[in-house]
Amino acid sequence: MYTFSKGLKNTALVLMILGLVGIVYGFLSTPKTIEEVEKIVAESHHGNHSANADAHNTHEVVTTYHEKEEVKTEESKADTTSVVDKIDSTKTEVAPLVKEDQDHHDNHAAINHSDSKVDADKEHKEHLEHVLHQLQNKPWSALYVACIFFMLISLGVLAFYAIQQVAQAGWSPVLFRVMQGITAYLPVGSLIFFGLLVLSALHLNHLFVWMEDGVTEVGHANYDKLIAGKSGYLNVTFWLVRAAVFLIGWNLYRYMSRKNCLAQDESNDNSFYKKNFKLSAGFLVFFIVTESIMSWDWLMSFDPHWFSTLFGWYVFASFFVSGITTISMVTLYLKSKGYLENVNSSHIHDLSKFMFGISVFWTYLWFSQFMLIWYANIPEEVTYFITRIEHYNLPFFGAVVMNFVFPLLVLINTDFKRIAPIIVGAGVIILLGHYIDFFNMVMPATVGDQWFIGVSEIASVLFFLGLFIFVVFTALSKVPLTPKRNPFIEESKHFHY
């Protein structure tokens, strides 16, 4: 039996406390009024003072040039005085008409100037309100990204566990308890995440554009024809019902499969194993459908004008490889503490192969989605990537380096797949890279160009990391780490190649 060490438990609690303090600070420090936003914008413009000074110097050079040109013009005027005298009489005759026309022009210009000033003020106010919503969204978005990322890690492990059951894999049963321990976070993460969805539905934030008032009402200032056309599917009630069905379904399978697995240890036959086989096969069908819809509802709907048929697979690859990486890292930690004596380097090597292979699969989907949309250059599709390249250049392309280039260079070597420090280092980079991947999916639509990695982002990750560690290792300490009566347990114990 594993014992949850006091040091690790205290570390988890400290992470949660620090994270919670940072999250609260992030919400309290957000601007509350347009005036505060205007001050922030003014301070940011102040940083461009040097650039403005350069422009002022340029203006002085241009002014000097024009002054020289005016001297030349005066000399030229002296030569044309006689011509001007000849047309004075004509000018006197048409002067009244010119004056009347000029007065009319001046009145028209004054009206236009007044209208343009009103429009400019209105536009400026709307811009400040937009920036206010973005800045207020920032702590919500940071919380959302961290929450869904850790929840989906446990879901990815659950899917991997179900695949092993259906495939009747002989190498992996010694890792089943590790997988079940990680999936213990799913109920906790699901409750918190569903709470975030409900808070969004109650309009406590502006994360989802399609939830704004009036977007489906013809004649309303916020009316959006495209979103209105999707309102039969994309409405708050149906959206929350779908979320509840997905979360309940996933957690129900997690509960029943673990219950059957534990019952199999005390059974005299393989009846519970057979139940788990059928249950896992049904779950995978349910998972494939609900995972795709989940990705549309919880991630793609941040940009309701954009869509991609690859998006469900892309999201799946991201959290699936994160889940496998987490299995590998938890396994290596337990091995370092003297547990899991039946897990050998061949098991670790297989996990590393999955880390490498799914990283390549993720890259294939990333490139396919990006290349086809970018090459087609259809405005409503390509704008998704233009926003990320212009305002999120570093995290957008940085995610590719962290999730593909680094794993490719490190894990392509067969020997490296068995060396714990290398696997842990690669695992940390992969997990950080896929957090950035989820960051790229959410932030551009919710905070726009007002993003930066600050207190809210770091604190949210710390809180959910601490909670994840606490829940997972508490679950691992409840049951023996090695199943007793799995039909393939002896094959798994002696797995070598």
Side-chain angles (χ1 to χ4, degrees), residues 242-273:
R242 290 196 301 272
V245 170
F246 300 163
L247 294 172
I248 291 172
W250 299 338
N251 281 283
L252 191 60
Y253 167 73
R254 184 258 162 197
Y255 169 78
M256 295 179 66
S257 65
R258 182 176 183 273
K259 181 180 177 181
N260 288 337
C261 189
L262 293 175
Q264 180 64 35
D265 285 355
E266 310 300 327
S267 177
N268 295 322
D269 55 25
N270 294 330
S271 58
F272 289 101
Y273 174 80

Side-chain angles (χ1 to χ4, degrees), residues 92-229:
T92 303
E93 294 174 1
V94 300
L97 296 175
V98 172
K99 185 178 185 303
E100 181 180 350
D101 182 66
Q102 184 63 37
D103 291 342
H104 175 75
H105 175 75
D106 291 343
N107 291 336
H108 185 67
I111 294 171
N112 288 340
H113 177 73
S114 177
D115 291 342
S116 63
K117 187 176 186 302
V118 171
D119 292 340
D121 290 342
K122 181 180 178 182
E123 184 178 345
H124 180 64
K125 185 178 179 181
E126 289 176 350
H127 172 69
L128 291 178
E129 288 178 351
H130 181 63
V131 174
L132 175 63
H133 288 167
Q134 289 179 330
L135 292 175
Q136 289 178 337
N137 275 343
K138 193 172 182 297
W140 285 103
S141 300
L143 196 64
Y144 190 96
V145 172
C147 183
I148 193 173
F149 178 66
F150 281 95
M151 184 191 71
L152 291 183
I153 283 178
S154 63
L155 180 63
V157 173
L158 187 66
F160 188 72
Y161 170 78
I163 291 170
Q164 302 305 308
Q165 293 277 2
V166 172
Q168 297 184 331
W171 71 276
S172 57
V174 292
L175 299 171
F176 279 0
R177 292 288 190 265
V178 175
M179 298 181 198
Q180 290 168 1
I182 296 172
T183 60
Y185 178 80
L186 186 60
V188 178
S190 297
L191 284 173
I192 299 173
F193 183 72
F194 189 76
L196 278 178
L197 297 184
V198 172
L199 293 177
S200 296
L202 294 174
H203 300 285
L204 295 184
N205 56 54
H206 303 276
L207 294 180
F208 295 92
V209 176
W210 57 269
M211 290 186 185
E212 294 296 322
D213 294 330
V215 291
T216 60
E217 299 176 18
V218 178
H220 196 282
N222 293 333
Y223 176 71
D224 189 306
K225 184 178 179 180
L226 189 69
I227 296 176

Side-chain angles (χ1 to χ4, degrees), residues 82 257 443 468:
S82 58
S257 65
M443 291 292 182
F468 186 86

Side-chain angles (χ1 to χ4, degrees), residues 160 164 171 320-321 324 349-360 417:
F160 188 72
Q164 302 305 308
W171 71 276
F320 191 55
V321 70
I324 295 171
H349 186 271
D350 271 16
L351 287 172
S352 299
K353 285 194 293 186
F354 276 108
M355 289 166 60
F356 173 77
I358 306 301
S359 292
V360 175
K417 293 186 179 76

Side-chain angles (χ1 to χ4, degrees), residues 158-387:
L158 187 66
F160 188 72
Y161 170 78
I163 291 170
Q164 302 305 308
Q165 293 277 2
V166 172
Q168 297 184 331
W171 71 276
S172 57
V174 292
L175 299 171
F176 279 0
R177 292 288 190 265
V178 175
M179 298 181 198
Q180 290 168 1
I182 296 172
T183 60
Y185 178 80
L186 186 60
V188 178
S190 297
L191 284 173
I192 299 173
F193 183 72
F194 189 76
L196 278 178
L197 297 184
V198 172
L199 293 177
S200 296
L202 294 174
H203 300 285
L204 295 184
N205 56 54
H206 303 276
L207 294 180
F208 295 92
V209 176
W210 57 269
M211 290 186 185
E212 294 296 322
D213 294 330
V215 291
T216 60
E217 299 176 18
V218 178
H220 196 282
N222 293 333
Y223 176 71
D224 189 306
K225 184 178 179 180
L226 189 69
I227 296 176
K230 299 179 179 182
S231 60
Y233 174 83
L234 209 57
N235 62 80
V236 171
T237 302
F238 191 24
W239 183 71
L240 287 178
V241 169
R242 290 196 301 272
V245 170
F246 300 163
L247 294 172
I248 291 172
W250 299 338
N251 281 283
L252 191 60
Y253 167 73
R254 184 258 162 197
Y255 169 78
M256 295 179 66
S257 65
R258 182 176 183 273
K259 181 180 177 181
N260 288 337
C261 189
L262 293 175
Q264 180 64 35
D265 285 355
E266 310 300 327
S267 177
N268 295 322
D269 55 25
N270 294 330
S271 58
F272 289 101
Y273 174 80
K274 293 176 181 178
K275 286 182 180 179
N276 249 2
F277 175 85
K278 296 177 182 178
L279 185 65
S280 298
F283 166 75
L284 287 176
V285 175
F286 177 78
F287 170 78
I288 289 171
V289 175
T290 56
E291 185 278 329
S292 290
I293 301 174
M294 169 274 292
S295 68
W296 309 336
D297 286 0
W298 301 343
L299 292 166
M300 195 163 69
S301 72
F302 285 118
D303 298 273
H305 289 193
W306 180 81
F307 50 88
S308 168
T309 53
L310 276 177
F311 195 74
W313 285 105
Y314 175 77
V315 174
F316 165 72
S318 189
F319 71 76
F320 191 55
V321 70
S322 298
I324 295 171
T325 301
T326 304
I327 296 172
S328 182
M329 295 181 72
V330 172
T331 301
L332 288 172
Y333 172 79
L334 293 173
K335 284 285 290 179
S336 70
K337 298 300 179 182
Y339 300 98
L340 297 177
E341 63 276 2
N342 293 310
V343 175
N344 56 51
S345 61
S346 295
H347 296 101
I348 303 301
H349 186 271
D350 271 16
L351 287 172
S352 299
K353 285 194 293 186
F354 276 108
M355 289 166 60
F356 173 77
I358 306 301
S359 292
V360 175
F361 178 58
W362 174 88
T363 310
Y364 161 73
L365 293 172
W366 183 94
F367 179 75
S368 298
Q369 183 173 255
F370 171 73
M371 183 272 292
L372 290 173
I373 291 176
W374 191 261
Y375 184 76
N377 201 27
I378 299 173
E380 61 267 27
E381 294 183 5
V382 77
T383 184
Y384 181 87
F385 290 106
I386 290 176
T387 301

